[in-house]
């Protein structure tokens, strides 16, 4: 992947790493939440933010795994400020509990990185009986963001520094179900396709950022690039391809975390909101991804699904 990286207007490319796009940036005084920080690009995102002085809260389903990552970060960066808190995105009660504990902790919140996700799983329902990919990748992050938004607004006001919400979408948002979102049949097994359901969830993630930008003025979405991580666990053929031929086409984890860290921390993104990034540069999403009416409809559709 890196051999084909052409620099964009930002000065970075597909071959840039998370360390490179944050080089020289002082993150001291900032606090960030990274969901899904116990593996893959979430781990690298947490590590690089901590390297730049950001106080990082790792929101993870498996606390033991999270603590192991925390220990590794502290071993490399003894001065790092890293916390581990439990968050299971397949359960809205877990999301509410996490948000309550976080808001009660006294921690400020400058950066929220909605990173965690699953990819192309067989048909399953979440603990709240909602199609699992839609629930995990999008709906629980929608709820989490809403529950933390007042904290972010207060932090921005008190610190006089803009907050940033970073939603990890995917180029897969270009390939959802017909119409983009199956509003009338989100939970229907009939017609379910694991790849299209993944595309739907990532389109929803992108639209969420767009609507947040309209309401809050500090949210962006991104495609991290193709990376061989445990997201492929449900597809052995794809995993095998990524491990062999694909390793010449896929990004490394440090390259995969670059766009996230760029959008979260780089001063070039100051004042930029409602944009879709790829390879550390502003890119163009699909027609569905630019549909403001679809974004508003999704927001209204999601509110009752996440109400107590």
């Amino acid at each position: 992947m890196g051999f084909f990286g052409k620099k964009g207007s930002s000065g970075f490319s597909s071959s840039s790493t998370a360390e490179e796009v944050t080089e020289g940036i002082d993150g001291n005084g900032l606090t960030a939440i990274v969901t899904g920080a116990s593996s893959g690009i979430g781990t690298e995102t947490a590590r690089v933010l901590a390297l730049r002085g950001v106080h990082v809260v790792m929101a993870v389903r498996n606390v033991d795994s999270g603590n192991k990552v925390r220990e590794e970060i502290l071993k490399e960066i003894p001065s790092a400020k890293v916390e581990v808190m439990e968050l299971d995105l397949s359960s809205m009660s877990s999301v509410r509990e996490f948000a309550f504990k976080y808001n009660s902790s006294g921690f400020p919140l400058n950066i929220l990185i909605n990173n965690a996700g699953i990819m192309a799983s067989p048909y399953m329902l979440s603990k709240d009986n909602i199609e699992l990919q839609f629930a995990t990748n999008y709906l629980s992050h929608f709820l989490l963001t809403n529950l933390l938004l007042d904290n972010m607004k207060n932090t921005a006001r008190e610190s006089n520094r803009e907050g940033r919400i970073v939603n990890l979408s995917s180029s897969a948002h270009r390939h959802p179900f017909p119409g983009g979102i199956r509003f009338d049949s989100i939970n229907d097994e009939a017609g379910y396709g694991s790849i299209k359901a993944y595309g739907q969830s990532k389109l929803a993630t992108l639209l969420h950022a767009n609507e947040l930008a309209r309401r809050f003025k500090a949210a962006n979405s991104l495609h991290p690039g193709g990376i061989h991580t445990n997201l492929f666990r449900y597809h052995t053929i794809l995993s095998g391809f990524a491990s062999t031929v694909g390793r010449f086409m896929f990004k490394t984890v440090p390259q995969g975390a670059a766009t996230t860290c760029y959008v979260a921390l780089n001063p070039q993104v100051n004042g930029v909101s409602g944009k879709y990034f790829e390879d550390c540069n502003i890119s163009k999403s699909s027609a569905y991804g630019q549909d403001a009416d679809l974004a508003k409809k999704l927001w209204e559709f999601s509110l009752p699904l996440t109400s107590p």
Side-chain angles (χ1 to χ4, degrees):
M1 185 75 180
F3 294 110
F4 304 102
K6 181 181 178 181
K7 290 183 179 180
S9 60
S10 69
F12 302 114
S13 71
S14 62
S15 61
S16 298
T17 67
E19 287 196 21
E20 289 169 350
V21 303
T22 59
E23 187 174 359
I25 296 173
D26 183 4
N28 282 287
L30 298 176
T31 301
I33 292 174
V34 183
T35 69
S38 60
S39 65
I41 62 176
T43 293
E44 179 68 357
T45 297
R47 184 189 73 82
V48 171
L49 292 184
L51 180 67
R52 302 309 178 206
V54 178
H55 177 195
V56 178
V57 177
M58 300 169 56
V60 300
R61 182 176 57 84
N62 188 319
V63 173
D64 288 341
S65 296
N67 281 325
K68 287 177 183 175
V69 170
R70 178 179 181 272
E71 289 169 8
E72 290 169 4
I73 292 174
L74 290 173
K75 200 175 294 182
E76 178 193 348
I77 315 161
S79 62
K81 300 179 288 291
V82 184
E83 320 285 338
V84 177
M85 293 179 64
E86 184 175 3
L87 173 64
D88 180 356
L89 289 165
S90 71
S91 164
M92 289 191 203
S93 65
S94 177
V95 174
R96 292 190 181 92
E97 184 176 359
F98 172 90
F100 175 78
K101 288 181 177 178
Y102 188 90
N103 288 330
S104 301
S105 71
F107 291 152
L109 183 58
N110 303 91
I111 303 166
L112 173 60
I113 300 177
N114 290 320
N115 164 82
I118 58 172
M119 178 181 176
S121 64
Y123 178 81
M124 290 185 274
L125 297 178
S126 71
K127 292 174 184 176
D128 303 286
N129 293 316
I130 296 169
E131 189 274 306
L132 189 63
Q133 293 191 80
F134 188 79
T136 302
N137 296 349
Y138 161 66
L139 197 61
S140 285
H141 280 129
F142 173 87
L143 174 60
L144 177 67
T145 303
N146 282 354
L147 294 174
L148 296 173
L149 206 49
D150 283 344
N151 190 327
M152 290 200 76
K153 289 177 180 178
N154 290 337
T155 301
R157 183 168 54 250
E158 292 169 7
S159 65
N160 200 30
R161 301 174 78 168
E162 68 173 11
R164 294 190 186 183
I165 299 170
V166 183
N167 279 7
L168 268 76
S169 181
S170 166
S171 61
H173 85 272
R174 303 180 188 280
H175 307 288
F177 294 106
I181 309 291
R182 297 204 304 174
F183 290 108
D184 297 326
S185 53
I186 282 292
N187 292 339
D188 288 1
E189 188 171 3
Y192 178 84
S194 62
I195 301 295
K196 287 190 177 296
Y198 180 67
Q200 172 182 250
S201 72
K202 289 302 184 178
L203 171 62
T205 298
L206 190 159
L207 292 172
H208 177 217
N210 290 352
E211 186 64 8
L212 274 168
R214 190 180 72 83
R215 294 166 182 258
F216 182 52
K217 306 296 184 187
N220 292 291
S221 61
L222 64 93
H223 169 49
I227 310 114
H228 185 214
T229 68
N230 64 0
L231 278 177
F232 288 105
R233 63 186 178 275
Y234 292 113
H235 285 266
T236 54
I237 293 175
L238 285 177
S239 182
F241 173 80
S243 297
T244 54
V245 177
R247 65 193 176 91
F248 299 106
M249 302 168 61
F250 282 66
K251 289 185 177 184
T252 64
V253 169
Q255 291 169 340
T259 305
T260 301
C261 290
Y262 173 79
V263 176
L265 212 55
N266 196 287
Q268 291 181 3
V269 188
N270 288 346
V272 177
S273 193
K275 301 299 183 182
Y276 173 71
F277 288 79
E278 187 171 357
D279 297 334
C280 303
N281 286 275
I282 293 174
S283 187
K284 189 175 181 180
S285 66
S286 69
Y288 285 141
Q290 299 172 59
D291 189 330
D293 290 334
L294 187 61
K296 292 176 188 175
K297 183 177 180 180
L298 177 64
W299 186 283
E300 296 303 322
F301 175 77
S302 303
L303 286 173
L305 290 180
T306 55
S307 61

